[in-house]
Amino acid sequence: PAKFTTEDGFRLGTWCSNKRTTYKNGRLTPDRIDALNALGFIWDPIEDDYQRGLSYLKMYKAAHGDCRVPDRFGTEDGFRLGIWVRERRKNYKKEQLTPDRINTLNALGLIWDQVEHDYQGALGYLKAYKAEHGDCSVPQRFKTEDGFRLGIWVASRRREYKEEQLTPDRINTLNALGFIWSLK
């Protein structure tokens, strides 16, 4: 870390930062470059962090089948993958990711907005329910074949509507489906 200081007071973080700057400016001698390379010196900590995170995200997906990494998830060696994923989402929203990185993360199946993704998935279940039953009167205890609690989701939308927490777009989408706002 940039602020790391050894027990005897040597500002190692600053020293490393200076070596990186000297290297980028082409003023670091080949013998020093070789010596630092031999130690496994990281010349670009930001790129190294990205590549480590990407590697861990691939392993997470292989183990879990998706990229829905909980915020608090950390790897066995202490890499905070949940935070890394959250930061990539923030970078994406602020348009701070290169198209290459966006494509790589898209190819892995990273969901940029989980809340919207989940909402659209639930909406798909509601559309399927209507196609099968002819209406949107989903009983509260109704679950889809794969266990999604559609009845609870519908009840939550009614509550949000009553508390004026639904956006006009979502209200219009549900109205277009023939959503029933009140069971009375």
Side-chain angles (χ1 to χ4, degrees):
K3 294 183 179 184
F4 182 81
T5 303
T6 63
E7 287 181 15
D8 64 356
F10 182 71
R11 294 171 45 190
L12 183 59
T14 301
W15 183 86
C16 288
S17 181
N18 289 338
K19 296 304 150 239
R20 289 182 182 108
T21 301
T22 305
Y23 174 77
K24 285 179 188 174
N25 293 334
R27 296 181 301 161
L28 198 59
T29 62
D31 61 319
R32 290 190 178 184
I33 293 170
D34 291 342
L36 290 169
N37 281 337
L39 290 172
F41 190 77
I42 297 169
W43 296 104
D44 187 342
I46 294 171
E47 180 63 21
D48 182 69
D49 178 71
Y50 174 78
Q51 293 302 328
R52 283 184 68 208
L54 185 59
S55 176
Y56 284 124
L57 184 59
K58 288 175 182 177
M59 287 187 274
Y60 183 92
K61 182 176 182 179
H64 300 275
D66 60 41
C67 294
R68 296 181 73 109
V69 183
D71 267 359
R72 294 178 186 231
F73 182 84
T75 63
E76 288 181 14
D77 65 354
F79 187 84
R80 297 173 3 174
L81 183 60
I83 292 172
W84 184 89
V85 169
R86 185 179 68 208
E87 290 303 310
R88 298 303 72 79
R89 287 187 178 117
K90 284 181 185 177
N91 294 152
Y92 179 79
K93 279 184 180 178
K94 293 178 181 178
E95 299 181 1
Q96 296 173 335
L97 283 179
T98 64
D100 225 19
R101 288 187 176 180
I102 293 169
N103 292 337
T104 299
L105 293 167
N106 280 339
L108 260 179
L110 183 67
I111 299 165
W112 298 108
D113 185 339
Q114 287 189 144
V115 172
E116 183 61 24
H117 180 268
D118 292 347
Y119 181 85
Q120 292 302 323
L123 197 56
Y125 284 124
L126 182 59
K127 289 175 182 177
Y129 181 92
K130 182 179 180 180
E132 184 177 335
H133 299 277
D135 60 40
C136 293
S137 258
V138 182
Q140 189 157 356
R141 293 183 182 199
F142 182 83
K143 290 182 185 178
T144 63
E145 286 182 16
D146 63 358
F148 180 73
R149 296 163 50 167
L150 183 60
I152 299 290
W153 184 84
V154 166
S156 295
R157 300 302 71 79
R158 287 187 184 118
R159 180 186 44 74
E160 289 173 354
Y161 178 77
K162 185 178 179 180
E163 295 172 0
E164 298 180 2
Q165 295 176 338
L166 276 180
T167 64
D169 281 348
R170 288 190 174 178
I171 293 169
N172 291 338
T173 300
L174 292 169
N175 279 338
L177 274 175
F179 193 83
I180 299 166
W181 295 105
S182 176
L183 296 176
K184 295 177 185 177

